[in-house]
Amino acid sequence: MRITSSLVLLAVAALSQSSVQAVSADLQDVLHKIAKYPDGTAVRPGAFIVELDGEPGSANVQAIANSAASSFAKTTPKFKVDKQYSALFNGFSVKTAKDFDPIQLASLPGVKRVWPVRILTQPYQQSSANITYPYLHHATGVDAVVQNLGFTGKGVKIGIVDSGVDFNHPEL
């Protein structure tokens, strides 16, 4: 009896070790799907872009995004699929609770990568160019306006209307 129980314990230990290794390998695969940024990089908590497998336009992004939204709806009440992308890559953006674990997104079938949304700021740069030199405007004739008419632009307000962006485009 003692030998039998020892063999059973040995078999259970061997099986549990291999299952721990299998779970560990699966977890490592999921963790590799989450993009890592250098330390100190600012990210928006609870905001992610989920990249899906396949060439752009090849996957049914809407079905996968709806499936993700329904699977997290009960456990994460603030989970919302925000935008869907299929022109440059297949994917969707997610807004959710600040403490949401991206491992849950990375473990969904068909997910290639999960990108936390970075916060980028551009530093202010003082222009070093002095644009008062007349030769800078010679080719356009601005120097003649300044010299002959005395217009300097002081007190003039300029408005630019640019309608070159299609704000209804799905990628925007």
Side-chain angles (χ1 to χ4, degrees):
M1 181 68 177
R2 201 171 224 193
I3 294 176
T4 305
S5 62
S6 297
L7 288 175
V8 168
L9 286 175
L10 183 62
V12 167
L15 286 175
S16 65
Q17 178 67 23
S18 63
S19 64
V20 165
Q21 288 174 345
V23 168
S24 173
D26 290 342
L27 183 60
Q28 288 296 325
D29 290 341
V30 169
L31 288 175
H32 285 294
K33 292 181 180 182
I34 301 170
K36 301 285 187 243
Y37 298 123
D39 290 340
T41 302
V43 295
R44 187 170 312 280
F48 303 96
I49 296 176
V50 180
E51 182 181 358
L52 301 174
D53 290 326
E55 294 295 318
S58 65
N60 189 350
V61 174
Q62 185 173 6
I64 296 170
N66 290 342
S67 173
S70 63
S71 67
F72 292 116
K74 293 180 183 176
T75 58
T76 310
K78 292 184 177 182
F79 189 91
K80 176 186 170 198
V81 173
D82 193 33
K83 304 279 184 187
Q84 298 174 11
Y85 310 102
S86 60
L88 299 175
F89 70 99
N90 293 325
F92 54 93
S93 63
V94 171
K95 290 182 181 176
T96 185
K98 292 181 179 184
D99 60 344
F100 185 80
D101 190 357
I103 290 175
Q104 297 176 48
L105 288 170
S107 63
L108 291 173
V111 170
K112 180 178 180 181
R113 198 95 161 136
V114 177
W115 302 88
V117 175
R118 291 175 56 182
I119 300 172
L120 300 175
T121 56
Q122 291 185 330
Y124 175 76
Q125 294 181 347
Q126 181 73 27
S127 175
S128 61
N130 185 351
I131 60 172
T132 60
Y133 295 126
Y135 68 88
L136 293 175
H137 301 295
H138 181 69
T140 60
V142 173
D143 61 337
V145 171
V146 171
Q147 290 174 0
N148 299 336
L149 301 174
F151 294 144
T152 62
K154 186 174 182 179
V156 174
K157 295 183 181 177
I158 299 174
I160 299 172
V161 178
D162 181 4
S163 61
V165 175
D166 179 7
F167 60 91
N168 290 320
H169 192 277
E171 296 295 330
L172 297 176

